[in-house]
Amino acid sequence: MKIVNQSYRKKDAMQLVTGQPVYTDDLVPNDCLLVKVLRSPHANAIVESINTAIAAKVPDIEAIYTWEDVDQDGERCTYAGQTYPEPSPYDRLLLDRHVRFVGDIVAIVAGKTEKAVDKALSLIKVKYQLLDAVLDFRTALDNPVLVHPEDTWKANCPVGADNKRNLCAHEVIEDGEVDKILAECDVVIDQTTHTKAVQQDMMEPFVTYCSIDTYGRLNILSSTQIVFHCRRIIANALHIPKTMVRVVKPRIGGGFGAKQSCVSEMYPAFVTWKTKKPSKMIFSRYECHIASSPRHEMEVRVRLGATKEGKIRAIDLYTLSNTGAYGEHGPTTVGLSGHKSIPLYRTEAFRFGFDVVYTNLQAAGAYRGYGAPQGIFAVESAVNELATRLKMDPIKLREMNITREGDIMPAYYGAPNTSCALDRCLEQVREMSGWEQKFPLQQLPDGKVRTMGVAIAMQGSSIPYCDVGGATLKINDEGHYTLLIGAADMGTGCDTVLAQMAAEVLECDYDNITVFGADTDASPYDSGSYASSTTYVTGKATEKCAMKLREQICKLGAELLGCPADAVEFDGKEVFESAAPETKKTLSEIAYASQFGHMVPLEATETHTSPLSPPPYMVGAAEVEVDTETGEVKVLEFDACVDCGTPINPNLTRVQAEGGLLQGIGMTLTENVTYDRKGCPEENSLFQYKIPARNDIGHIHVEFENSYEPNGPFGAKSIGEVVINTPLPAVADAIYHATHKRFYELPITREQIALAGQ
């Protein structure tokens, strides 16, 4: 391969680093209306009355909207960006009289200046009927206080939901005689882990601009991962035809799953549709922390049974997930806690059950890893505890039990393991980290302890039988190409890797491919950038599309040469007769010929979906220095090895891994979403909510052990999500070796470590 598996610079690199106007707010005119919202100070309440008369008299205020402007008995919707029919329940109204968490929407204010809007917000008078709230997700199921008592609540899919029980989803899946095998095991690890909610905290907040076009349609320019889902969600929320909505994505300053929900789009869309005037909304960092879409809080109980020789025989896993006040992504994130952790090991039996419950807290959503980090923390912590009980090397224990290429994985929907280098990743990390010399610990002269911990992880590559990727390729004057996609590059580099795939097939220079996306009016349909699907699914669509366009180029070239299409070849620059290579037409000549008097279109569109979601795999080892007196923890080195099939762009792949590892370390040690006794978030800015910076840790070292995935483009699998999973159990196990205390709740704070050392 000449283009694929090479480290080309990102398509948008120079525009971004030189500060060119590429993000949503860069492209917005200065004279549009500014939209802000009034938020509820109560976790559960009914708006008895709301007085906006004085606020409406503030100069430069255009409009104020409340629940009285929305049909309270109309069909509800979901803000989750998922393929229709959405598994997430329809439990939202654009403006609801019943507010269900601190930060829920009470009113929308639009004005010409920020000063006017802020003043109007302060003058709105609201009378609330306060209701009891459910703030502890462990008590939510069958609680007499219902988060969604309304009869208009609706579940589109059979996910075991029942709003009259505060239940957003429920299921139990098993294979084999779990209880019988656990009773026979020599060792049974029984532990419960708790991972709190964490924020994505992407650099660019939620931002949306709306306008009305020449044809009276609602045009939305937004920092979103899901242009096509966004169109459907907004149309449903506003009760307008989907044909009247167009969604366009510019450059995105990070998403990590937060922008897989329509967090900011609804409110300026409503304002513009009502007033027919352009408007924009930009979330403050405060709003990003109190009313966005953080990771689901989960409590996971694992029972893991093994022989005294270390053979893992059965895993029983139950997850309780807190979806918050609304069910966005609630029924789907929870599945990954089991389906992306249990299949890592060959077992005789497994059971996976879950309940997803409503509470009166900020609604959760999608975040990189999408439920897998919570489940992998639980299962890998249990495996590390098993290694300690058996006095075994945790890497050796895993080598005895891990899934291998060719296995059928019952806990992974019964799918075959079509490509797997997990065993080689383990060996690579053993060597990279100096495991034999450093594990389990080194006592330092100053009293600090250096320790090691290890973990393995898997993810998926798209949602099988569901996600759809699309690509359109066309040839332009002089033989340059335009690639149109519906996937959203949110800093991940998908524009770059998809261009590399097209260039590989078309045998042209990488710079000869211009990428355009994403626009619901112009792009081919694509589910969007989530579920680790872009490289695997949209990449395969791009590969197929480029192959089809090659055929069209050969067909027209043969027509110009006066010979059959099967008698010519194409080398990326010229079409020539196989038997007479000197008889040829250049690509530029063919491109111009297509514009005059010919019936062969030099344009192709392909779509792709997959019945399989081949897992990428990863192994990570953390070297940690712990001060047991102060509780200070420093991650000195994190060594990781990833099997993502064929890395399409090794540099971008490595950057993805490094960023995900840093986020995982933050989730383990510093990131913490907590609420006071009234349900108000206590970490509402980056002063209180501590995300790690690159200089907060030592060396990150990432290598690759490449398998070849036969169902992926050029043998590729995904990379985006698997990379966040290993730090949680690896760092936690390293801390155990320093303190001789296992921590089952994240984050592991300095105070907890210091107290453990006493």
Side-chain angles (χ1 to χ4, degrees), residues 46-66:
I46 301 292
V47 178
E48 287 188 345
S49 64
I50 183 166
N51 187 337
T52 63
I54 298 174
K57 294 178 181 178
V58 173
D60 291 331
I61 289 299
E62 178 71 27
I64 300 176
Y65 301 104
T66 71

Side-chain angles (χ1 to χ4, degrees), residues 99-406:
V99 288
R100 293 173 170 84
F101 71 96
V102 175
D104 209 352
I105 307 298
V106 177
I108 304 171
V109 178
K112 296 177 182 179
T113 68
E114 185 171 15
K115 182 179 180 181
V117 172
D118 288 342
K119 185 174 182 180
L121 285 169
S122 70
L123 294 173
I124 296 174
K125 304 301 180 184
V126 187
K127 183 179 180 181
Y128 297 96
Q129 176 192 345
L130 301 187
L131 306 173
D132 291 337
V134 183
L135 301 179
D136 184 350
F137 74 125
R138 298 177 185 89
T139 65
L141 186 62
D142 294 322
N143 194 296
V145 176
L146 296 180
V147 179
H148 284 278
E150 66 274 4
D151 293 331
T152 51
W153 179 97
K154 183 175 78 171
N156 285 317
C157 297
V159 294
D162 185 349
N163 64 313
K164 303 301 183 181
R165 300 183 61 203
N166 284 336
L167 189 61
C168 184
H170 165 81
E171 190 172 21
V172 178
I173 308 147
E174 63 182 302
D175 181 74
E177 300 181 82
V178 175
D179 294 324
K180 178 177 180 295
I181 292 173
L182 286 173
E184 297 170 355
C185 287
D186 299 317
V187 181
V188 176
I189 305 298
D190 188 342
Q191 65 179 38
T192 300
T193 61
H194 178 210
T195 51
K196 297 183 183 179
V198 288
Q199 297 283 2
Q200 297 90 345
D201 263 325
M202 55 283 166
M203 290 180 67
E204 181 197 29
F206 303 97
V207 53
T208 301
Y209 167 70
C210 300
S211 61
I212 300 294
D213 69 15
T214 307
Y215 304 100
R217 300 168 72 221
L218 179 62
N219 277 215
I220 298 164
L221 181 74
S222 190
S223 183
T224 177
Q225 301 171 218
I226 45 159
V227 291
F228 286 98
H229 295 333
C230 189
R231 177 177 64 183
R232 179 183 68 248
I233 293 166
I234 289 169
N236 287 346
L238 271 59
H239 304 298
I240 62 176
K242 296 170 183 63
T243 54
M244 296 302 291
V245 181
R246 176 192 182 190
V247 181
V248 178
K249 172 210 75 74
R251 310 320 292 169
I252 299 178
F256 307 119
K259 295 169 183 176
Q260 197 195 330
S261 295
C262 285
V263 176
S264 63
E265 286 84 359
M266 299 299 166
Y267 313 109
F270 186 72
V271 167
T272 294
W273 187 251
K274 285 283 193 177
T275 66
K276 307 307 179 188
K277 295 181 179 181
S279 69
K280 75 171 180 180
M281 183 176 192
I282 302 176
F283 267 44
S284 66
R285 189 60 66 181
Y286 171 80
E287 289 178 299
C288 288
H289 278 100
I290 69 154
S292 57
S293 57
R295 188 185 297 283
H296 288 75
E297 177 186 23
M298 291 187 188
E299 189 172 82
V300 182
R301 183 188 178 191
V302 177
R303 293 194 299 155
L304 183 148
T307 67
K308 61 180 180 296
E309 293 79 21
K311 172 60 181 172
I312 299 173
R313 297 189 61 196
I315 298 176
D316 182 12
L317 187 148
Y318 169 75
T319 301
L320 178 65
S321 178
N322 181 4
T323 194
Y326 300 99
E328 271 101 49
H329 301 279
T332 44
T333 51
V334 69
L336 278 69
S337 68
H339 292 308
K340 301 296 168 64
S341 58
I342 301 171
L344 283 164
Y345 298 98
R346 292 167 163 172
T347 61
E348 299 169 46
F350 82 91
R351 180 189 295 125
F352 173 37
F354 59 78
D355 289 304
V356 182
V357 294
Y358 284 111
T359 61
N360 291 114
L361 297 174
Q362 177 180 189
Y367 184 6
R368 192 178 204 165
Y370 203 76
Q374 296 97 308
I376 287 172
F377 173 59
V379 171
E380 286 299 278
S381 293
V383 173
N384 283 328
E385 185 170 337
L386 176 65
T388 301
R389 290 259 203 109
L390 297 176
K391 296 180 171 59
M392 287 185 66
D393 182 318
I395 290 183
K396 181 180 179 182
L397 176 63
R398 287 173 169 83
E399 288 172 340
M400 292 172 53
N401 290 284
I402 55 171
T403 183
R404 308 267 175 161
E405 190 169 309

Side-chain angles (χ1 to χ4, degrees), residues 19-33:
Q20 300 303 307
V22 296
Y23 297 108
T24 302
D25 196 40
D26 296 331
L27 308 174
V28 172
N30 293 325
D31 58 349
C32 66
L33 297 175

Side-chain angles (χ1 to χ4, degrees), residues 612-682:
L612 295 174
S613 177
Y617 296 96
M618 185 173 189
V619 178
E623 182 179 359
V624 172
E625 185 176 278
V626 182
D627 187 328
T628 56
E629 289 189 0
T630 66
E632 182 182 20
V633 176
K634 292 181 179 179
V635 179
L636 302 178
E637 183 168 337
F638 201 98
D639 296 288
C641 187
V642 188
D643 164 25
C644 60
T646 301
I648 303 300
N649 186 309
N651 273 0
L652 293 183
T653 305
R654 181 168 282 103
V655 169
Q656 282 281 301
E658 291 173 350
L661 289 170
L662 191 61
Q663 287 179 310
I665 291 167
M667 185 175 176
T668 309
L669 295 176
T670 63
E671 298 187 45
N672 197 7
V673 174
T674 57
Y675 296 88
D676 66 18
R677 60 186 181 84
K678 294 183 178 181
C680 186
E682 294 189 306

